[in-house]
Amino acid sequence: MLVTLSADLRQVVPEALARQAIADQIVQEANPHAYTSEIGPGRPLPTPSPGRREAVVEATKRDFVQGRQVSVSVGAVICAPTMVLLWTVPRRGSDPASEAG
């Protein structure tokens, strides 16, 4: 996540050292159980202006949302073939003819 977050922050914080410090702090304080609307740094960020802080928080939210979308997509791709297999392969010991009558 640190790599993608740093890339997302590049537009907001062009200075590499400041961007790295902000990304490190956000990752250290991240709560993986938080709702997307509550994602943001728990403590003040090392940014010079409140406007920049809001831009950093928005970039952070986008990064977390993208991460969740990727993880859900990967999970769906992994689960889909298993579900198809379970629906198409008959269960052992079951006889469809005996269940009908």
Side-chain angles (χ1 to χ4, degrees):
M1 184 181 109
L2 191 58
V3 173
T4 60
L5 181 58
S6 183
D8 286 344
L9 290 175
R10 185 172 290 128
Q11 298 168 354
V12 179
V13 183
E15 305 86 20
L17 292 175
R19 184 173 58 244
Q20 188 63 37
I22 290 170
D24 287 342
Q25 182 176 350
I26 290 171
V27 169
Q28 287 174 357
E29 295 176 4
N31 177 1
H33 304 290
Y35 292 105
T36 305
S37 61
E38 296 176 356
I39 292 174
R43 296 185 184 100
L45 293 171
T47 57
S49 70
R52 187 183 238 184
R53 181 187 185 283
E54 291 303 317
V56 167
V57 170
E58 287 304 313
T60 303
K61 285 182 182 181
R62 279 193 309 274
D63 190 68
F64 275 95
V65 169
Q66 289 170 353
R68 285 184 176 184
Q69 289 170 340
V70 167
S71 64
V72 168
S73 299
V74 168
V77 167
I78 291 172
C79 290
T82 304
M83 291 180 68
V84 169
L85 183 68
L86 290 173
W87 278 327
T88 58
V89 176
R91 288 183 261 163
R92 279 192 228 185
S94 66
D95 182 15
S98 66
E99 292 177 10

